[in-house]
Amino acid sequence: GQMIVNFKLSTPTTSLATFSPEWNNFLGTEAAVMQNDRVPARAEQLVRDLKPNLAPSLTFLKVSLIPKTTLFALEAIGSDAAYTQAYLDAVMDAYLQVRQEMKEETADSYIIGMRRELVRLQKELARGDQLQYEFQSSNNIVVLEEQGGKASSYLVELDNQLAKLRTDRNLVRSLSLDQNLELQRSPAG
């Protein structure tokens, strides 16, 4: 049997000629998928399920790529022609099923990775919001003006105390020694 394998190539600036090594890798991977344990085992199960009247027969699968195409030549060799043909048909169906499962697994893993990244970004965004809130709270113009007003009032109070202390000092300096001693002895002083 023959099987065409298609894939979608989305590269606006890359020509197929420069993509050929990846293309060859892709086709080699697909040939390996067709021959790995999952596809033949699934094909055998499909034959048992769909054609229970056929007795299992040892069957070998050969997969080759038809040069310069995306066609795979599948060849099944076995002792029972009916079982071998059913097996070959089942291999093609099994391959399509396995490829679909692989795509779903890849999509699931991509979705899980995207969810993890989304959670990380949400945490980072929440932290950024918190930092912004803290900055705005500590640097709010109204708060800064209020703090400046309080500082200004305190400074005026300190200036007044300093002026009173200077006045007292000047008064003390102007008094004679006897007047100073009398001032210190008095109960009001």
Side-chain angles (χ1 to χ4, degrees):
Q2 291 184 346
M3 184 171 216
I4 298 175
V5 177
N6 290 325
F7 77 104
K8 193 184 286 185
L9 178 61
S10 299
T11 56
T13 60
T14 305
S15 72
L16 195 54
T18 60
F19 190 69
S20 62
E22 289 80 5
W23 175 247
N24 289 334
N25 289 340
F26 171 78
L27 295 174
T29 300
E30 294 308 298
V33 167
M34 285 181 209
Q35 296 178 87
N36 81 6
D37 294 339
R38 283 173 75 179
V39 172
R42 176 84 51 91
E44 289 170 5
Q45 185 62 46
L46 283 171
V47 173
R48 281 193 299 273
D49 292 346
L50 298 174
K51 305 214 179 211
N53 58 331
L54 291 177
S57 166
L58 184 60
T59 307
F60 297 98
L61 178 66
K62 179 182 175 189
V63 177
S64 58
L65 179 64
I66 298 174
K68 298 182 182 181
T69 70
T70 59
L71 294 174
F72 285 94
L74 305 177
E75 185 178 352
I77 302 168
S79 58
D80 180 346
Y83 182 86
T84 302
Q85 184 60 52
Y87 176 78
L88 183 60
D89 294 340
V91 163
M92 289 187 248
D93 291 337
Y95 165 76
L96 295 174
Q97 290 173 3
V98 167
R99 283 299 292 146
Q100 183 61 37
E101 290 167 5
M102 290 171 71
K103 285 179 186 176
E104 290 169 4
E105 290 166 5
T106 300
D108 288 347
S109 126
Y110 178 76
I111 289 169
I112 289 168
M114 291 302 292
R115 284 186 180 151
R116 284 185 187 138
E117 182 66 8
L118 180 62
V119 167
R120 185 190 70 76
L121 289 173
Q122 285 173 333
K123 287 178 183 176
E124 189 175 311
L125 181 61
R127 177 68 182 139
D129 288 346
Q130 180 64 31
L131 290 172
Q132 180 182 5
Y133 173 76
E134 290 170 5
F135 175 81
Q136 287 175 336
S137 295
S138 65
N139 295 301
N140 188 325
I141 296 297
V142 173
V143 171
L144 290 175
E145 286 175 352
E146 186 178 306
Q147 288 173 349
K150 288 178 182 178
S152 177
S153 297
Y154 182 65
L155 184 57
V156 167
E157 184 182 323
L158 289 175
D159 280 343
N160 289 338
Q161 287 177 5
L162 180 61
K164 183 179 180 303
L165 289 172
R166 282 184 180 154
T167 303
D168 289 349
R169 182 190 68 191
N170 289 338
L171 178 63
V172 168
R173 282 185 180 166
S174 67
L175 295 176
S176 67
L177 182 59
D178 290 334
Q179 289 172 327
N180 267 331
L181 288 174
E182 185 63 33
L183 187 62
Q184 287 178 4
R185 282 189 218 141
S186 72

